[in-house]
Amino acid sequence: MTTRLHNILSALCLLIYAIVTGGDACKCEATTKNSFTNLTKPEQCENGLNSTKLNNKYNSNTVDMVWIPKSDVMLGTLASSLPRGVVATYRGDGEQPVRKATVSGFYLDKFEVSNRKFREFVDAKEFVTEAERFGDSFVMENYLSDEVKASITEAVAAAPWWLPVAGATWLHPEGSGSDIDSRSDHPVLHVSWNDATSYCKWKGKRLPTEAEWETGCRGGLEGRLYPWGNTDTPRGNHYMNIWQGVFPTTNTGEDGYLATAPVSSFPANALGLHHMVGNVWEWTADWWTASHTAEPAVDPKGPRAGTDRVKKGGSFMCHKDYCYRYRCGARSHATADSSSHNLGFRCAL
């Protein structure tokens, strides 16, 4: 291949990707005479010049998304990486055995869906969330006014700090008297799995599978607890929004936040994804099961049916002594119509 033809092919790759993604540089590199390698972008780029079947969804829909190429990832958590005394608890969550999965390339939102983004959806579709229809949602008592707490007579027996608050919705996260006027760039709260699915569908997207979510969280680091490694605060720096102090009585806010943080406030991982752990729990597409085998799988999607959906990442309410689930391999679950003060989502494509 002549140098001139080589340059033409490289330019065509750049042009095709620019058309498809709205202008980002195509990360195809022509390193041989007849192939493009070093691929980190979607099939339009991976296919080199065989790009006649371009889909418009890879244009406007991928703004503020990260392309994650096909990869092999180890899902779950090594028991040896967990503190003594908690292994049995998190094994019961289905974190073990560690298992290999091959995950096809996909896009994932850089950020959790914010109040501003969710408002666009609500306004466009006149959408009513399940919390709004049910009339209440769960909020930790520490974040409620005395007036609101005085009107509540019920609590969750196993976690008495969780209170059902009348009127708690995405617009009024702490119930009557609260609003999101100063929290437009914070993650939307009090959204059920059904609500999140509706939003993603409206955007031409979907919720990520648990395997996709965990692949994104790990950012290429195999066997690590967090998106950046195994240390909570590398070199004394905070990389996530969790509970500091004594749970559930005192949150010192050493990371700068007592509740949610803006969706872009902490450093991104190696893939450019923010808040993959901490801040808010995130819904995934999968039905919940705590039973896994060590057999390798390709694009695992969980069981075909169930009662609960998987949520990942932990939240600002997580503390190592109570809910040490702000880790890539950690997991929890809730019914599809559940909502709470620390639960949000991001979309995939």
Side-chain angles (χ1 to χ4, degrees):
M1 180 185 294
T2 66
T3 300
R4 181 173 178 271
L5 183 55
H6 177 279
N7 291 338
I8 290 172
L9 291 175
S10 297
L12 281 172
C13 177
L14 289 167
L15 177 60
I16 290 167
Y17 189 72
I19 293 170
V20 170
T21 64
D24 289 344
C26 178
K27 296 183 179 179
C28 289
E29 182 180 344
T31 56
T32 67
K33 291 184 177 181
N34 58 4
S35 67
F36 288 93
T37 59
N38 191 28
L39 304 175
T40 58
K41 289 294 178 182
E43 62 270 22
Q44 290 90 336
C45 214
E46 291 178 349
N47 292 338
L49 297 181
N50 297 322
S51 303
T52 57
K53 297 181 180 180
L54 301 180
N55 191 321
N56 287 334
K57 74 178 182 179
Y58 291 108
N59 192 351
S60 61
N61 278 13
T62 57
V63 172
D64 284 334
M65 299 190 83
V66 169
W67 171 252
I68 302 173
K70 180 179 180 179
S71 56
D72 292 328
V73 63
M74 300 303 293
L75 303 178
T77 307
L78 292 168
S80 59
S81 68
L82 292 170
R84 292 181 180 180
V86 303
V87 174
T89 297
Y90 299 109
R91 182 182 293 120
D93 283 352
E95 292 190 41
Q96 281 103 38
V98 173
R99 52 213 179 269
K100 180 181 178 180
T102 298
V103 180
S104 299
F106 66 102
Y107 279 101
L108 190 62
D109 283 348
K110 291 180 181 178
F111 312 108
E112 296 151 334
V113 174
S114 67
N115 285 313
R116 178 182 292 108
K117 294 293 186 182
F118 196 74
R119 185 189 290 275
E120 293 173 0
F121 164 60
V122 169
D123 290 347
K125 302 296 290 183
E126 298 183 351
F127 187 80
V128 179
T129 64
E130 292 195 293
E132 290 171 299
R133 293 201 298 271
F134 293 152
D136 62 18
S137 188
F138 283 92
V139 183
M140 187 181 186
E141 64 175 343
N142 305 48
Y143 299 96
L144 299 174
S145 67
D146 291 338
E147 180 182 355
V148 169
K149 283 191 286 187
S151 65
I152 300 171
T153 58
E154 299 177 296
V156 178
W161 49 85
W162 274 120
L163 303 178
V165 177
T169 68
W170 73 277
L171 273 173
H172 307 287
E174 295 80 42
S176 177
S178 66
D179 57 54
I180 57 170
D181 292 352
S182 62
R183 290 181 272 182
S184 290
D185 57 350
H186 286 235
V188 64
L189 307 175
H190 300 292
V191 285
S192 68
W193 184 93
N194 297 316
D195 299 331
T197 299
S198 294
Y199 172 92
C200 291
K201 184 177 180 180
W202 174 71
K203 294 288 288 184
K205 305 178 185 181
R206 56 178 174 79
L207 287 174
T209 65
E210 181 179 10
E212 289 174 334
W213 189 99
E214 193 167 330
T215 300
C217 183
R218 294 191 178 283
L221 295 181
E222 187 172 303
R224 299 296 190 266
L225 295 173
Y226 310 117
W228 54 87
N230 283 330
T231 305
D232 287 18
T233 52
R235 297 176 296 282
N237 297 315
H238 290 282
Y239 281 61
M240 57 184 165
N241 177 21
I242 58 173
W243 188 285
Q244 287 98 30
V246 179
F247 188 87
T249 58
T250 306
N251 185 356
T252 60
E254 294 170 22
D255 57 23
Y257 300 92
L258 295 175
T260 58
V263 297
S264 62
S265 55
F266 283 83
N269 70 1
L271 292 173
L273 302 168
H274 294 259
H275 287 293
M276 292 302 292
V277 293
N279 215 28
V280 293
W281 283 98
E282 298 181 18
W283 288 113
T284 72
D286 292 18
W287 289 107
W288 167 266
T289 181
S291 299
H292 299 104
T293 71
E295 292 298 315
V298 177
D299 292 327
K301 292 180 172 61
R304 294 183 178 181
T307 58
D308 288 13
R309 296 288 185 171
V310 177
K311 57 181 184 176
K312 299 280 285 184
S315 79
F316 66 89
M317 286 177 54
C318 283
H319 186 280
K320 185 171 288 187
D321 291 343
Y322 173 71
C323 175
Y324 186 39
R325 293 183 175 89
Y326 47 91
R327 297 173 286 106
C328 292
R331 54 207 304 273
S332 189
H333 57 103
T335 58
D337 59 358
S338 296
S339 63
S340 68
H341 191 239
N342 66 340
L343 178 54
F345 69 103
R346 73 180 72 212
C347 302
L349 179 63

